[in-house]
Amino acid sequence: MPWCFAKDSGDHKLSNHPWTFLLKFPKLNCMQFMFRLLASVVATLFLFNSVAEPSPKIPRFSVDYMDKSVAPDADFFHYANGNWVKNNPVPPDKSRWASFTELQERNWYLIHEILDSVCAEKSAPNSDEQKVRDFFLSAMDTNHLEQLGFKPLQAGLKRIDKIKTREEFFRAVADFRHSGAGSCFGEGVSPDLKNSGVYALYLTQGGLGMPDRDYYLKDSFAKQRQAYGVHVAKMLAMIGEPEDEAKKNSVTILELETAMAKASKSRADLRDPIANYHKFTVAQAVTNYPHLPMLVYLDECGLKKMPDLIISQPEFLDAFDKLVESRPLAEWKTYLRWHLVRATAPYLNSAAEDESFAFNGKVLRDQEVQEPRWQRSARAIDAEIGEALGKLFVEKHFPPAARARMLELVGNLKAVFRDRLQKLEWMSETTRAKALVKFDRFTQKIGHPEKFRDYSTVKIKPDDYFGNVQRADLFEAKRELARVGKSVDRTEWHMTPETVNAYYSPSINEIVFPAGILQPPFFDADMDDAVNYGAIGVVIGHEMTHGYDDQGRKYDGEGNLNDWWTADDAKAFEARAQKVVDQYNGYEALPGLHVNGKLTLGENIADLGGTSIAYEALQRALAKDPSKRKKIDGFTPEQRFFISLAQIWRTNIREAEARRLVTVDPHSPGQFRAIGPHVNLQEFYDAFDIKSGSAMWREPELRAKIW
Ligand SMILES: [Zn+2]
């Protein structure tokens, strides 16, 4: 499905979340899986010395972050953030440092306190506390992991050795994928885009070990490609292949993946939901892909009787099918061995984990050192049994008052958006009526699920980190596969409560805000309205606008792909959207490295709509209570709104990470999200008295106005 691009390719699970505020953090070094030990809990605490450090301070709005020596009309990003940028280099264990990473870092520290406290207490067998505790213990017990070495991988490697037929191979592909090691292509379960009440099985392009097809095909990634070959050979040598053979095999793997990369669509082309939706009967799929034993694969998924499936990119599967035929089974076994070790390395001994980091952290993202062990362990728990951890997190850190205040803010933003839809001068009455029907159906979720996921059937042991990850992945895959053809669960969440992010789901037509983001600098009860509307207000407006961006507008109020636009209105929308494409194409993230205006279009439209709507909502709040219309720290409410928004996007980033994100991330780099929406709004120029001829000025005929 179209939203798999929110994650790194190679992931076994398709992300069925839709359009987020930020790119989701890839699972540990872009991978999957896991294990663990320990007799005495009290002893462990000392052994690990894992007592939480004091939480980093709350990263709230501050005029101290500004550099007032920079004129706002010359460089608004540095005017709003210059001092922060100077004083907050990227920490050695990160590849990017920004307001949301500061906040997420604080959440990790709060989670560390929770983990230490569950370790210090006795918990009921099979309770969420027991699972979180034992998962953490298993991840922290590095002595045991060193003793185990590569033993946890042996069963999988033996299974690959024994494969003699294509059928056995694809059974293994399915099983490994479902316990965390995806390969060959992507698979996922999501609402049917044309029948949003029912889950469908999707097969998509995939199977790569690097983040995107560009890494295989473009000159600018030659260095990473070369390093990838070395990395693959090293890992294969670690699992026992003689060095020469490992080197030879790394060449084979790169050849196979390059062929798959060539058959893959670009991320910008994946944005068109209609062009990426192709429903086939199982019988058709069997005929279309004669070298991919589809029935065997589906049988292994427990879906033998399923009538149909959706193949998002049939051209990819076509090429893959031919590749299966043209390359010997022995090569595919090598490829599968690589993807098994690649996905599981972070949950093995330090040799495997360090080598995985050397490529996925250092080469791909310029990260200097790994995050502390406790933090990597917390990320693994969040990725694997995140709602169990989330339940403990919200008990401590989500005050009920936050939900009430959020509901009020969402209501205020909704009122503005609805009025806009009613008045929009470029839309016909026919399309408008349908837009309003869609708008009136959309809903919101705030904080955390009403009912948390039940993990009681997942066995989590204190001495089996690898097994814990595998079992949690398998639980999740089975849970999803079992619902193909069944009704969609509208109460489900696609982010854990501790996440600093938000999303819009086009199939459900809803906006969702986890507890993690409902804190400063996004949401701050101690700050004035201007600062809050410039932060969480814009986030709310951003998610609402996703329902009407270049992709979202193709779904109706029921969440189905369905063209409800007149041809003229669609043309008018596209002309306006083209201005956004042109604007962001003009931004350079690094010298010579331009933002991809088409890939980032949906997010940029959402930033623009969100900003414009939040600004008007602030004006309404100020009109209601004129006592709020006063200067604070020497700034008017309008000025504080735009400064607050720019501060949300304060960012420092390493070069490799900037290149990776420009390639894979549908969101624009922070420094452009901090000014991109502003320069389309006359209200911004008025607030800072910015005149024609200055660097920030954008001629009125170039400015985009959509919602
Ligand atoms: Zn978004």
Side-chain angles (χ1 to χ4, degrees):
M1 63 227 56
W3 24 89
C4 55
F5 55 68
K7 296 179 91 177
D8 286 6
S9 44
D11 265 275
H12 75 302
K13 283 176 211 159
L14 288 177
S15 157
N16 43 5
H17 18 78
W19 305 324
T20 57
F21 192 59
L22 300 158
L23 185 69
K24 279 201 72 206
F25 196 88
K27 200 166 156 180
L28 293 177
N29 294 333
C30 349
M31 318 216 168
Q32 327 276 4
F33 261 87
M34 313 240 187
F35 349 56
R36 164 155 46 141
L37 289 200
L38 268 234
S40 154
V41 169
V42 177
T44 19
L45 279 179
F46 293 110
L47 202 68
F48 298 155
N49 190 22
S50 86
V51 177
E53 291 119 74
S55 333
K57 73 176 171 42
I58 298 173
R60 54 173 39 110
F61 171 89
S62 168
V63 291
D64 294 341
Y65 296 156
M66 300 174 67
D67 181 351
K68 292 180 191 161
S69 72
V70 176
D73 65 354
D75 176 354
F76 196 75
F77 174 77
H78 282 97
Y79 168 72
N81 296 310
N83 275 342
W84 183 92
V85 168
K86 254 178 263 163
N87 298 321
N88 291 276
V90 181
D93 65 343
K94 301 285 184 285
S95 53
R96 173 164 62 155
W97 197 239
S99 76
F100 50 90
T101 51
E102 287 181 303
L103 178 56
Q104 188 66 63
E105 194 70 358
R106 187 177 143 76
N107 285 353
W108 289 127
Y109 278 90
L110 300 176
I111 286 167
H112 195 188
E113 286 174 358
I114 292 170
L115 292 171
D116 280 344
S117 87
V118 292
C119 284
E121 283 159 24
K122 246 186 145 16
S123 44
N126 216 21
S127 61
D128 284 331
E129 284 84 352
Q130 175 266 319
K131 289 180 199 291
V132 167
R133 183 194 70 167
D134 287 350
F135 213 126
F136 188 55
L137 293 179
S138 74
M140 293 300 287
D141 192 352
T142 49
N143 287 340
H144 183 60
L145 291 172
E146 292 308 320
Q147 280 166 15
L148 287 174
F150 287 87
K151 256 187 230 154
L153 264 188
Q154 293 314 312
L157 293 174
K158 255 188 214 150
R159 177 167 176 185
I160 298 173
D161 277 347
K162 284 191 190 150
I163 291 175
K164 293 209 172 56
T165 64
R166 220 172 259 162
E167 285 69 25
E168 285 169 5
F169 175 78
F170 279 100
R171 281 195 191 273
V173 167
D175 288 350
F176 289 175
R177 176 196 310 290
H178 299 143
S179 41
S183 65
C184 295
F185 45 82
E187 174 208 298
V189 176
S190 258
D192 184 333
L193 298 187
K194 290 191 177 172
N195 182 16
S196 66
V198 175
Y199 289 110
L201 181 79
Y202 289 78
L203 299 184
T204 70
Q205 67 184 45
L208 307 181
M210 287 197 283
D212 187 81
R213 67 168 203 167
D214 284 0
Y215 280 73
Y216 295 84
L217 307 178
K218 280 197 170 167
D219 289 347
S220 52
F221 288 115
K223 202 182 84 190
Q224 285 85 346
R225 202 151 54 232
Q226 199 265 338
Y228 182 60
V230 174
H231 167 60
V232 172
K234 271 194 194 166
M235 290 284 250
L236 293 178
M238 270 187 205
I239 55 169
E241 293 188 8
E243 251 177 61
D244 281 3
E245 203 181 312
K247 256 192 203 152
K248 212 178 85 211
N249 285 340
S250 73
V251 174
T252 303
I253 287 160
L254 217 65
E255 279 172 15
L256 291 175
E257 291 186 5
T258 304
M260 289 155 83
K262 281 184 183 155
S264 300
K265 283 190 182 179
S266 74
R267 284 178 194 250
D269 287 342
L270 292 175
R271 290 192 62 73
D272 181 345
I274 297 162
N276 289 279
Y277 179 95
H278 305 276
K279 197 179 225 175
F280 293 94
T281 64
V282 169
Q284 280 171 328
V286 168
T287 315
N288 290 355
Y289 308 109
H291 307 104
L292 200 176
M294 193 63 82
L295 288 177
V296 170
Y297 185 84
L298 294 176
D299 180 44
E300 206 61 24
C301 295
L303 293 171
K304 209 179 175 179
K305 290 188 182 145
M306 182 179 66
D308 46 33
L309 76 166
I310 295 158
I311 297 179
S312 306
Q313 294 84 31
E315 320 78 358
F316 173 84
L317 227 51
D318 235 13
F320 175 74
D321 182 78
K322 292 194 173 85
L323 200 60
V324 168
E325 166 66 357
S326 66
R327 307 292 295 241
L329 186 61
E331 292 189 356
W332 288 106
K333 287 167 68 170
T334 300
Y335 165 85
L336 190 56
R337 203 177 298 123
W338 158 239
H339 279 276
L340 179 63
V341 65
R342 169 190 180 273
T344 53
Y347 319 112
L348 292 167
N349 61 9
S350 58
E353 198 189 5
D354 290 350
E355 178 51 34
S356 172
F357 173 75
F359 181 73
N360 294 292
K362 278 191 185 152
V363 173
L364 291 183
R365 320 176 78 168
D366 279 344
Q367 190 179 331
E368 291 168 12
V369 298
Q370 298 202 59
E371 288 180 333
R373 179 105 204 147
W374 68 262
Q375 197 164 1
R376 274 134 60 204
S377 307
R379 280 191 196 277
I381 299 170
D382 177 59
E384 299 300 330
I385 51 167
E387 286 197 14
L389 181 61
K391 195 170 121 192
L392 307 178
F393 180 82
V394 297
E395 276 167 13
K396 278 210 154 87
H397 301 294
F398 186 60
R403 189 197 293 264
R405 178 71 185 130
M406 265 303 275
L407 275 172
E408 191 186 321
L409 284 168
V410 170
N412 295 347
L413 272 285
K414 265 187 178 175
V416 175
F417 204 154
R418 200 175 196 292
D419 288 353
R420 295 266 178 104
L421 286 176
Q422 270 172 324
K423 282 189 267 184
L424 225 50
E425 75 284 359
W426 57 270
M427 191 177 258
S428 71
E429 291 310 316
T430 321
T431 307
R432 187 192 316 282
K434 289 178 180 159
L436 286 167
V437 168
K438 172 168 178 172
F439 189 79
D440 288 339
R441 287 185 66 96
F442 106 84
T443 53
Q444 64 275 320
K445 292 187 180 129
I446 293 164
H448 55 84
E450 303 269 313
K451 199 167 163 270
F452 289 90
R453 195 155 301 163
D454 175 7
Y455 295 104
S456 57
T457 59
V458 190
K459 189 130 193 80
I460 303 295
K461 304 183 198 171
D463 59 355
D464 188 11
Y465 189 26
F466 186 98
N468 288 339
V469 176
Q470 281 203 319
R471 285 187 294 272
D473 277 331
L474 190 59
F475 162 79
E476 180 58 21
K478 281 191 169 167
R479 190 181 76 86
E480 292 184 15
L481 290 168
R483 55 192 194 180
V484 171
K486 302 210 172 104
S487 295
V488 166
D489 176 4
R490 298 179 62 89
T491 67
E492 187 169 79
W493 281 59
H494 297 293
M495 279 181 186
T496 59
E498 55 272 26
T499 305
V500 179
N501 208 337
Y503 68 90
Y504 171 76
S505 162
S507 295
I508 309 276
N509 192 17
E510 67 173 357
I511 52 179
V512 183
F513 305 93
I517 199 173
L518 303 180
Q519 306 178 79
F522 294 94
F523 178 82
D524 191 344
D526 295 338
M527 282 284 165
D528 46 306
D529 275 358
V531 165
N532 277 300
Y533 278 98
I536 196 70
V538 172
V539 179
I540 297 168
H542 171 106
E543 299 309 338
M544 287 187 347
T545 310
H546 268 317
Y548 307 86
D549 71 15
D550 61 320
Q551 290 180 298
R553 74 174 189 85
K554 295 177 177 163
Y555 295 79
D556 64 19
E558 308 276 340
N560 289 315
L561 261 188
N562 177 15
D563 190 1
W564 46 272
W565 292 61
T566 66
D568 282 351
D569 287 334
K571 221 184 266 167
F573 175 91
E574 274 159 17
R576 285 162 187 269
Q578 188 56 43
K579 287 188 176 179
V580 181
V581 174
D582 295 342
Q583 179 192 348
Y584 285 81
N585 273 340
Y587 291 137
E588 248 178 316
L590 293 168
L593 179 69
H594 283 260
V595 173
N596 181 340
K598 275 214 163 118
L599 173 62
T600 56
L601 178 59
E603 297 300 334
N604 296 332
I605 290 174
D607 278 350
L608 174 60
T611 303
S612 169
I613 289 160
Y615 181 90
E616 189 176 335
L618 168 66
Q619 291 305 316
R620 290 187 187 184
L622 292 170
K624 229 186 204 170
D625 182 358
S627 72
K628 289 181 174 169
R629 180 168 281 294
K630 57 181 184 221
K631 283 191 174 179
I632 301 177
D633 302 325
F635 295 103
T636 65
E638 287 77 11
Q639 290 171 331
R640 285 171 73 82
F641 172 89
F642 287 113
I643 296 168
S644 172
L645 172 53
Q647 286 197 355
I648 288 301
W649 297 115
R650 58 184 186 263
T651 309
N652 279 314
I653 188 163
R654 297 181 197 277
E655 189 183 324
E657 180 69 340
R659 284 188 191 283
R660 189 183 72 87
L661 289 177
V662 164
T663 307
V664 305
D665 190 351
H667 305 87
S668 294
Q671 70 265 37
F672 305 122
R673 298 186 78 176
I675 56 166
H678 300 51
V679 299
N680 287 298
L681 302 176
Q682 185 56 41
E683 294 86 344
F684 167 65
Y685 298 115
D686 293 344
F688 291 92
D689 197 22
I690 292 171
K691 297 273 190 301
S692 165
S694 67
M696 293 304 301
W697 181 261
R698 196 165 173 81
E699 292 301 337
E701 67 272 16
L702 295 178
R703 294 180 202 163
K705 184 173 190 305
I706 305 180
W707 301 110

